[in-house]
DNA sequence: CTGAAAGCGCTTACAG
DNA sequence: CTGAAAGCGCTTACAG
């Protein structure tokens, strides 16, 4: 199966390969008679010609490929959406997405080797995405090409980054709770100190302040960022005499545990207590009963932003410096479902059985 | 930043580029003195030379890239593991993985365009992965290159495929239930008819037969393959006078609903009823309480198999025909956690409250 | 054991 | 408005 090349099209159209190249690429500043153009296009489509990207890349020194370097991300549940956003944006720019994953603990050397591989293949740009929102020291290899970061910020401030705006997302979520009437809101935080932990708490506190609700640190309890941690923390919170009427869980997995704690205490969600999570993690948030009100992380959008920004950088946009020094924050939308209701009107005595007897 | 080429290495080592190419590629049937080889290697590493894959690809008519064509798969929770398996296997063969995703409903035309794009870039092989185990008609474009299918079987039997061995996985899971002492096992199936639905039921039935347990179709009830469907089906099953002592749910999401049904009936898992799922879907299976005994889908393995097989095909292996006509089945391992226990010893009266009074 | 040379399939000054 | 020719950076017969 001999593949058809530009030469075949030229011959069929009775023109030179130069002309074929010009008309097919619509080279600017090139005049070609309409009749020739038509002949060329007809010949090309008749022969089913499609240019060899390798040859073109060799000549133009650009591969039309962008590399996505991930750090264990393919194993996290969110990964798919980052990849999807990046891939679709890439397609729309006629770019191909190549993926390389290294394990988080593989170390800097592995990451540099991966970067090098992408460079050998003449990636036009590289996206570096980390599992958790954190600070990284970008491999020097990436200095050689346009690069952007997803979910991480470069300690040296040399490469543009997108980050989820956790604080605003959290603030909006808390505001929703406040709007429903809650004033005593528990917060079960993750005990590991990462930007997400800090950001979510900050947003929560900010919304409280804005609503004129006094900060009460006894309402903030932290634990493992898993269902088990959420269970323990929420159990503690809801067992108090003056238990909160709502609890904001650091993430959806913790919220799963919070549901169990509430059930064990005989508390009905959202009648007796409102629960909210963060991450909009599939399939938990939707599948749990009642379905969970939470905030979504903009993975798709960050993926798309990354390649959109990269294409600007590749085209030599002058935003580079500005972008590098000002991380882009992506909004995290609140997803309202069914785990929030108004607070109980009656002052509960410590146990919801009382309510049932009203 | 002028990048270093083979010419620079040749000059530095005082040899021809031919020689550089031979020593660096370790071309077979080529004698080069050890001293020359050493000089070349030193020069190459000193200059930080890495070959331009585009140029090499143009010359050798192979890009060293393999394409992964997915069908909405990046949006499914499992996707990451397929990509990861494929990517790691690709790395080990010095291949790069390019990903293109099309929406399931984008139609055949979109898929063909995607295949074409991969071919323009001279993908050495293409993997086509579908979201759900099903039959597909492979785009003709794929006939031009080695191709394999993940999770789907080609209606025309022309391309090799890997599929999860759902039946065996299900049989093993049911066998585990039987081993625990269960003889009345409910089965909540998905009401949509796909290979997975059929395979899981077949495996279940096979294990029952093997254990000498009479088939009782009243124990098989189907519904939506979501938590809500599992809830309804399980509620029905467990409300019967002679309720099953265990229920096998078509998937983990249905199992989530089953948990809720059991809780509502006051049935404790696994004391009063055992529940098992299928998919080992993160983060449900682990996070739910008690953690769910289920069977894992071999996504990583299928991804790795796909590229391993592709490399054999690319090298002209003669297995092609055999592989095309015999889909490869990948084992689905049972993952034991905490949702299975022995059946209740007492004959229940219809309501577990009775048990509590023993 | 080593090298000169052709050629992979394009794009792009440059000339006409 | 159109084309001849150089060249991107490699690999690979082929000759010596």
């Amino acid at each position: 199966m001999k593949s058809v090349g530009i030469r075949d099209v030229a011959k069929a159209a009775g023109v030179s390969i130069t002309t074929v190249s010009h008309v097919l690429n619509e080279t600017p500043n090139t005049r070609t008679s309409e009749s020739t153009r038509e002949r060329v296009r007809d010949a090309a489509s008749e022969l089913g010609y499609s240019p060899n990207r390798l040859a073109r890349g060799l000549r133009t020194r650009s591969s039309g490929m962008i590399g996505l370097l991930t750090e264990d991300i393919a194993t996290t549940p969110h990964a798919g959406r980052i990849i999807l956003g990046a891939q679709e944006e890439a397609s729309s720019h006629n770019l191909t997405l190549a993926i390389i994953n290294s394990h988080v603990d593989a170390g800097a050397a592995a990451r540099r080797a991966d970067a090098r591989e992408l460079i050998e293949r003449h990636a036009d740009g590289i996206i570096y995405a980390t599992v958790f929102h954190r600070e990284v020291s970008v491999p020097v290899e990436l200095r050689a090409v346009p690069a952007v970061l997803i979910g991480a910020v470069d300690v040296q401030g040399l490469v543009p980054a997108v980050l989820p705006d956790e604080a605003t997302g959290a603030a909006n979520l808390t505001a929703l709770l406040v709007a429903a009437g809650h004033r005593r809101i528990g917060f079960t935080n993750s005990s590991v100190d990462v930007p997400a932990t800090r950001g979510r708490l900050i947003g929560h506190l900010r919304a409280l302040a804005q609503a004129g609700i006094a900060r009460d640190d006894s309402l903030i309890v932290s634990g493992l960022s898993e269902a088990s941690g959420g269970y323990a923390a929420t159990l503690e919170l809801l067992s108090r005499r003056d238990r909160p009427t709502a609890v904001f869980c650091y993430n959806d997995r913790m919220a799963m545990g919070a549901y169990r704690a509430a059930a064990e205490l005989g508390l009905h969600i959202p009648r007796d207590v409102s629960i909210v999570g963060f991450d909009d993690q599939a399939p938990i948030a939707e599948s749990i009963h009642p379905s969970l009100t939470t905030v979504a992380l903009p993975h798709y959008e960050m993926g798309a932003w990354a390649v959109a920004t990269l294409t600007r950088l590749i085209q030599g946009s002058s935003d580079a410096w500005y972008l590098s020094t000002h991380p882009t924050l992506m909004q995290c939308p609140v997803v309202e479902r069914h785990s929030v209701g108004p607070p109980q009107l009656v002052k509960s005595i410590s146990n919801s059985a009382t309510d049932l007897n009203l």
Side-chain angles (χ1 to χ4, degrees), chain A:
Chain A
M1 188 187 283
K2 188 86 189 66
S3 84
V4 356
I6 195 173
R7 210 135 37 193
D8 303 302
V9 178
K11 196 170 304 173
V15 298
S16 70
I17 62 168
T18 304
T19 301
V20 175
S21 176
H22 283 146
V23 352
L24 261 23
N25 293 320
E26 299 176 354
T27 315
N29 303 322
T30 286
R31 330 242 109 254
T32 314
S33 73
E34 182 52 51
S35 71
T36 311
R37 304 230 298 272
E38 205 160 310
R39 266 197 346 274
V40 170
R41 282 195 281 253
D42 288 353
S45 75
E46 193 155 327
L47 295 173
Y49 170 70
S50 69
N52 179 330
R53 305 294 239 106
L54 254 30
R56 178 190 303 199
L58 178 59
R59 185 55 233 245
T60 63
R61 319 178 129 279
S62 90
S63 60
M65 178 215 86
I66 88 148
L68 175 57
L69 216 55
T70 66
E71 221 183 50
D72 251 3
I73 211 167
T75 36
T76 104
H78 311 306
R81 314 233 76 223
I82 293 186
I83 295 176
L84 189 62
Q87 197 276 311
E88 294 197 340
E89 183 72 19
S91 273
S92 81
H93 291 278
N94 237 297
L95 258 22
T96 292
L97 225 217
I99 298 197
I100 299 198
N101 185 78
S102 39
H103 293 288
V104 222
D105 33 61
R111 215 137 300 127
R112 294 183 54 177
D114 290 341
R116 204 140 36 206
E117 180 174 338
L118 254 11
I119 286 169
E120 272 184 22
R121 289 179 185 277
H122 284 237
D124 293 337
I126 296 183
I127 300 171
Y128 186 15
T130 52
V131 215
F132 297 113
H133 184 160
R134 58 189 189 73
E135 294 196 326
V136 295
S137 177
V138 171
V140 285
E141 278 69 14
L142 296 193
R143 305 263 172 82
V145 279
V148 300
L149 254 28
I150 294 182
V153 33
D154 177 22
V155 287
Q156 339 210 28
L158 291 174
V159 1
V162 229
L163 302 168
D165 186 352
E166 324 243 16
T168 304
N172 292 339
L173 187 57
T174 295
L176 172 148
L177 252 16
V178 169
H182 297 276
R183 298 189 65 84
R184 283 187 63 70
I185 305 174
F187 192 95
T188 68
N189 208 354
S190 157
S191 46
V192 344
D193 181 44
V194 291
T197 335
R198 289 193 291 271
R200 294 174 193 185
L201 180 57
I202 286 169
H204 169 67
L205 261 16
R206 185 195 299 156
L208 249 30
Q210 198 137 355
I213 297 173
R215 169 172 178 169
D216 175 354
D217 284 355
S218 74
L219 253 23
I220 303 170
V221 5
S222 52
L224 231 195
S225 62
E226 296 300 331
S228 59
Y231 168 76
T234 307
L235 194 62
E236 203 267 283
L237 241 21
L238 297 183
S239 301
R240 300 184 187 171
R241 290 195 78 74
D242 55 345
R243 60 175 163 80
T245 59
V247 0
F248 182 140
C249 299
Y250 171 71
N251 66 18
D252 293 353
R253 293 195 303 281
M254 288 186 86
M256 251 184 116
Y259 271 47
R260 180 157 72 94
E264 267 184 24
L265 294 171
L267 263 22
H268 183 273
I269 301 168
R271 193 194 56 204
D272 304 318
V273 61
S274 292
I275 305 276
V276 297
F278 209 107
D279 286 355
D280 194 25
Q281 184 169 3
I284 292 181
E286 274 190 351
S287 297
I288 212 171
H289 185 85
S291 60
L292 186 67
T293 290
T294 184
V295 354
L297 255 14
H299 292 294
Y300 182 95
E301 292 76 10
M302 294 195 298
W305 179 95
V307 349
T309 302
L310 225 34
T311 61
R312 299 225 311 277
L313 258 28
I314 291 167
Q315 281 150 26
S317 157
S318 53
D319 314 343
W321 186 79
Y322 178 82
L323 285 169
S324 305
T325 47
H326 298 73
T328 298
L329 289 181
M330 204 64 94
Q331 284 314 301
C332 300
V334 169
V335 180
E336 274 198 73
R337 283 195 272 249
H338 305 288
S339 60
V340 173
Q344 287 181 256
L345 294 176
V346 263
K347 188 77 188 152
S348 74
I349 302 298
S350 88
N351 180 318
S352 71
T354 320
D355 303 326
L356 297 173
N357 297 336
L358 283 181

